[in-house]
Structure formats: structure tokens, C-alpha cells
Amino acid sequence: MAVKDDYLIDTLMNMGTVDAAQIEAARAAAEPIGAGVIDTMVLQKTLNPDLLVQARGMQYGCETADLRELQPKDEALKALPRHIARRYQVIPVSFENGTLTVALEDPGDIDITDALNRLLEGVDNIVYKVSSETQIKATIERFYGSTDEAVERLVTELSQTQVDIGDAQAEAVGESGVASTGDEQDSPLVKMVNMIIADGFRLDMSDVHIEPFENRLRIRYRIDGVLREHESVPLNLCGPIVSRLKIESGMSIAEKRVPQDGRYKQTIDDREIDFRVSCLPTLYGESIVMRVLDKGGLNLGLDQLGFDRKDQEVFERSAQMPDGVMLVTGPTGSGKTTTLYSCLNLLNSPNKKIITVEDPVEYILSGINQVQVNNAAGMSFAAALRAMLRQAPNIIMVGEIRDSETGNIAVNASLTGHFVFSTLHTNDAPGAITRMVDMGVKPFLVAAATRAILAQRLVRKFCKVCVAPHNLHKDEINALQLTDEEMVDCRAMMGTGCDACDGGGYKGRMGLFEVLELEDQLKRMIIDERPVGDLRDYAVEHGHMNTLRTDGVRKVTTGQTSVAEVMRVTASDEH
């Protein structure tokens, strides 16, 4: 528990608001899931939120603020921009003589106070007051307006504009794809595009989908792997919005008949964020998908990705061998790239030369030589891999093994003293072996070169704010075929839904992993071309692999995710 929470609990006890028994009960419920004792008491209704506000005010020597009747003046709202208020959940109370008074939930949150001091221009001093999370959220919506209202406002501005901004930009840049600068940053169109992307990023989206249909332009965000519709705008704005994004992403706005790819940058909350952009012609116009390329997840340790301790030990041991092939498998969007880059960061050191060949290069990593595939210029995976071998690397990462030529070169490279990482699209770890053989790599070469295979999926994690104990239903127990032994130690939980998770009960994702370490008998079975089912059964029976479903059961019984999530991503797996 954080020290400041200890002080807050002491304050609450001195106020007579809670007693020691209530605190110990909350601590017992909070510790297994990593939740806060204070949050747990509020969730269990042991602690009144209004009394918590009073205690925080006493703790930090701050006044409390009742925001229900608040009427901040325009200068106060201008001093604290909408995106900062939304991101850091603060609301301006007043702004006089360079001093801005703001209300927030926790004045002791150094990340928030430091950010406000850094980001707010024209403010000489900041005074803090304490209010409840519920009142702050409601007041932000009341004075800054929701995203939908902001979009409607910008749509109105655009409808009053006499010039079609998209056509004007296209005429200005021709086919060069170079965007103009200056006053256009203040245009309603630019504001709309920036707002759509920024609001999605602040909701922790992984990608935004801008899709034209018969009567509307639909905007959807993918959050924790699930698409959520956010708002729609009139279809006649599709052309201007798409033109704007194509220009900024380095695409040709004159070409509307073929797919195009590009990269886009936008500064959001003082951070420069990269996006990979795909443009696809559809029946009613061009559809845009923008994927967030955020390096934050690439520095995570393997344990933070969700690895079980034993699986992590096997994976790290295999990854640090001097030669061989390690394969990561799973469908698109299963987190393979994050796992590979996390592993490269683990191995990256001045005494090792690492080269990657990717299509496309999504993340630029310091100290690693990265090669972009360019099939039009003859730079295929296979051609790049052959050239890379002459660069004397220690470690090679191939974005994906797609054909026999690439597979054979990768395997042969591993047999001549290189360590090769790559990905495949298979349902499970043993399936990667038969996939390599089916592509034309000799079974004895696959057996000799392969060190370990990792299959993975992503499941949503419970929101730490609203997670609560959950008794598994009979149907849930039967779905995962839980044994009596597993039920004895089961600490199942369930997210009940709150403002922090937008009512869904989930916040963030974690991996389910299946690590297959090849040993001598498995290699003999590969050489004998035994069916994939035999490989799988032998590996599980002799303890060389835990299945994705087994890892999912472990994460359900330890209260990290739900039965429904595990079943969703492991439907084809056998327990």
C-alpha cells in the first residue's frame, strides 16, 4: 500500500469514519487483485465518497469544493484546455491574477500536479481543491461538452464554410502529397480530424476506423481488442476528412482506386504519437484505419505481459541460446509484435549485433538495425535475409515467415550460428512445426533448428477499480472443465463496471501463452513426421507445454480475467 494511503486511512480513522475491522476486511479483499484499500472500501460502500473528500482535504490541507453549483468564468475554462481537463480529470474553479484554482480528486497525485505545472501556459500559480470523482466527471461534461457535442459543433462550422476544405487542400498540393501549413491548423476540418484521433487515444484505443456508409461516416475505436462505435458524421465530410489524412500520411490524394499505406504523426497531450495508416477504396468511399504505434508496451518485462513464471523461464532460456529458431504464433492482433520487441529489448546489448527485416517497420528501436521490405524494388523477406547474413549479425528477427524460401533461409541461418526470431500464423505452438514442413522446410531441419515455439492470445483484464469477488456459475465451471483441486484455490473475480472502464468491467489486456520447448523425443517425432495431435499430446503429457486453455484457467482462478474471455480466445483449444 502506498504511504499516502496509509496517511489517508489514519485520517479517516481519526475522523471516526471507519474502524480497524473495516480496514482489515477491505485489505483482505484488495490484496489478491492488486486493488487499493480505499477504492475497495468505496466499492463495498463501507466508505462514503463525500467523507473521503473531506479526509483528503484534511490530509493535504486543501479546501473541498462542491461542484454542483459551480459556474466558472470563461477565462478559467480557457486557462485549462479541454484535453488537459479530460486527460487529468481536473476542473477549473477560478482564474484571478495569474492564479488558477482547480478541483481534483487527489492533490497528492504528483503525476497530475507536475503535468499541470508543465502544460498550463499563462498560469503563474495553481491552487488545489478536493472534490469527488463523480462530481469532477459530471462538471467536465457540463462545461467542456462531450465529444459528440464537439463534433456537432465542428460539423456546423464546416457546413457554414463556403469552400470544400478537402478539395481546396487537394488543389493546393496537387499530387505531391505534401501538406500545407499555417492557418489551415485552425480550420474546422483540421480541428475535427485532430479531435477524433486525440479523443480515441485518450480512451487507450489501439486503432481508429473511419468508415463511409450509405448515409453516414462511422467512427469506431478499438479499445482492449473490442470495437466501440463513438460517433458518426455526415457522409459529405468523408472526402475532406480522408483527403486530410492522406495528405498528412504521405499518400496520393489523386489516387482513389487502389489501397495505400502511410504514416501519420499527431501531438497529443504534449506527446508525439505515430500512427500507421491504411486506406482502402470501398463502395461508398475510402475507408481509413489508423493504428497507434505506441512504444510504451515494448519496454515491458515478460512478466508484465502475463507470462507464468515457469513459461517465462523456458522462454528466456531459449531466447538466450547462441543459435536456433524461436517462433511466435497467433492470429493478427494477438500481441506477437509486442512480445518479439520485448524479447529484443531483453537481448539488446553493445556486444550483440541485431538486424530485423519487417513489413512494415512499425517501431524504431535504438541500437538495432532495421530493414524495410520493399517488394516493388526486389527487397523481399528472402532477399533481405540473404543480405543480412553477410552483415555478420548475432540475432536476426524476420517479421514473418511466409514462404518456403524465407523459411529455408531462416533455418539454415540458425544452423550456421545465428539466432532467428520470427512469427507464423497458426492456432497453437505444435501447429507451427507442421506449418514449416508444409511450406517446404525439411522435417529434420525444423527439428534441428527450432528451440522453442510460443503461441499467444490477448484477453481483457478486469478493471482494478470495480473488480469484486465472483462465484463461478455451474456453466462457467463446466465450460473450463475445472477440477475440484482447481476450485479449492479459486479466487474468481468479476468487473462490475464503473466510470474508469466505461461500464465494461475490463481495463487493459494481458497475454495467454503456450510455450513449447523442443526436447529430443519431440525432435524425433518431428523427423518421423508424426501428426500434430501426437506432438501436442506428448508435449502436454510429459510437461513440455501448458496449453493456452490451461494458462487461461490459471488466470481465471487467480482473478485476473473472466471465463467468457478465455473461452472467446481459446474456443478451439482442448483442456
Side-chain angles (χ1 to χ4, degrees), residues 272-283:
E272 187 174 70
I273 308 300
D274 288 329
F275 297 85
R276 189 176 77 190
V277 186
S278 171
C279 179
L280 179 70
T282 66
L283 184 62

Side-chain angles (χ1 to χ4, degrees), residues 150-161:
V151 168
E152 289 177 8
R153 196 162 54 244
L154 288 170
V155 167
T156 301
E157 288 184 45
L158 278 168
S159 66
Q160 295 170 349
T161 303

Side-chain angles (χ1 to χ4, degrees), residues 58-127:
M58 293 175 62
Q59 181 185 7
Y60 296 108
C62 298
E63 295 181 9
T64 60
D66 186 340
L67 304 180
R68 286 170 291 191
E69 303 297 326
L70 177 68
Q71 294 292 333
K73 296 181 179 179
D74 288 345
E75 53 264 31
L77 294 171
K78 289 179 181 178
L80 184 66
R82 171 181 176 273
H83 68 276
I84 295 178
R86 281 185 171 278
R87 180 171 178 82
Y88 297 104
Q89 291 297 290
V90 293
I91 192 74
V93 176
S94 63
F95 184 46
E96 297 178 357
N97 301 321
T99 296
L100 177 67
T101 301
V102 301
L104 75 170
E105 185 183 9
D106 184 3
D109 192 326
I110 297 175
D111 290 338
I112 293 178
T113 56
D114 283 352
L116 294 180
N117 286 324
R118 185 178 73 254
L119 296 175
L120 296 182
E121 299 177 357
V123 175
D124 300 325
N125 185 40
I126 302 177
V127 174

Side-chain angles (χ1 to χ4, degrees), residues 174-460:
E175 297 185 17
S176 65
V178 179
S180 58
T181 58
D183 294 340
E184 74 168 30
Q185 294 299 321
D186 296 323
S187 75
L189 175 67
V190 174
K191 289 179 180 178
M192 174 180 284
V193 171
N194 291 346
M195 184 188 66
I196 288 171
I197 297 169
D199 283 339
F201 180 77
R202 294 179 188 121
L203 291 171
D204 294 327
M205 71 171 183
S206 59
D207 41 78
V208 56
H209 297 244
I210 302 172
E211 307 161 311
F213 289 94
E214 185 174 8
N215 299 312
R216 64 189 177 120
L217 183 65
R218 182 170 68 177
I219 311 295
R220 293 192 292 174
Y221 301 138
R222 190 182 300 278
I223 301 170
D224 293 335
V226 178
L227 278 171
R228 299 184 189 177
E229 188 162 350
H230 204 61
E231 70 256 325
S232 297
V233 299
L235 185 62
N236 61 0
L237 295 180
C238 178
I241 290 174
V242 169
S243 292
R244 170 71 189 176
L245 290 171
K246 288 173 71 174
I247 289 168
E248 292 295 328
S249 303
M251 303 180 195
S252 170
I253 57 174
E255 181 56 74
K256 300 181 179 181
R257 300 164 299 175
V258 298
Q260 296 186 69
D261 295 297
R263 295 178 79 96
Y264 174 91
K265 288 186 178 183
Q266 182 172 320
T267 300
I268 302 173
D269 299 339
D270 211 29
R271 292 177 58 192
E272 187 174 70
I273 308 300
D274 288 329
F275 297 85
R276 189 176 77 190
V277 186
S278 171
C279 179
L280 179 70
T282 66
L283 184 62
Y284 295 107
E286 293 175 283
S287 173
I288 295 281
V289 175
M290 304 178 66
R291 181 181 179 185
V292 180
L293 302 178
D294 188 4
K295 294 182 181 178
L298 302 182
N299 296 319
L300 295 177
L302 296 179
D303 56 335
Q304 294 171 280
L305 298 179
F307 270 92
D308 173 68
R309 182 181 56 81
K310 180 182 175 182
D311 287 343
Q312 182 178 339
E313 289 174 357
V314 172
F315 188 72
E316 288 184 347
R317 180 172 65 247
S318 301
Q320 295 184 50
M321 290 184 177
D323 56 28
V325 172
M326 177 175 285
L327 299 172
V328 179
T329 79
T332 300
S334 61
K336 298 190 298 296
T337 299
T338 299
T339 301
L340 280 176
Y341 277 118
S342 295
C343 201
L344 287 181
N345 277 329
L346 172 71
L347 300 175
N348 191 11
S349 64
N351 63 347
K352 292 179 181 176
K353 178 160 184 171
I354 302 176
I355 306 180
T356 73
V357 53
E358 306 166 63
D359 184 21
V361 173
E362 294 188 3
Y363 305 94
I364 299 173
L365 300 180
S366 176
I368 294 178
N369 301 276
Q370 295 174 270
V371 178
Q372 168 73 55
V373 167
N374 186 345
N375 289 310
M379 180 65 86
S380 63
F381 275 110
L385 192 48
R386 279 194 298 268
M388 287 160 55
L389 294 177
R390 295 192 286 273
Q391 295 280 312
N394 301 104
I395 298 170
I396 297 169
M397 190 194 86
V398 183
E400 182 182 348
I401 295 178
R402 299 178 177 176
D403 53 52
S404 173
E405 186 179 14
T406 305
N408 276 295
I409 296 172
V411 167
N412 285 314
S414 73
L415 296 174
T416 55
H418 307 86
F419 196 89
V420 180
F421 289 96
S422 192
T423 69
L424 283 174
H425 289 280
T426 63
N427 290 329
D428 58 10
I433 295 168
T434 55
R435 177 78 179 111
M436 291 285 285
V437 173
D438 289 344
M439 282 196 298
V441 182
K442 299 295 185 183
F444 73 90
L445 291 177
V446 175
T450 308
R451 299 288 178 257
I453 303 169
L454 168 72
Q456 69 179 77
R457 301 289 190 276
L458 290 177
V459 293
R460 293 181 291 172

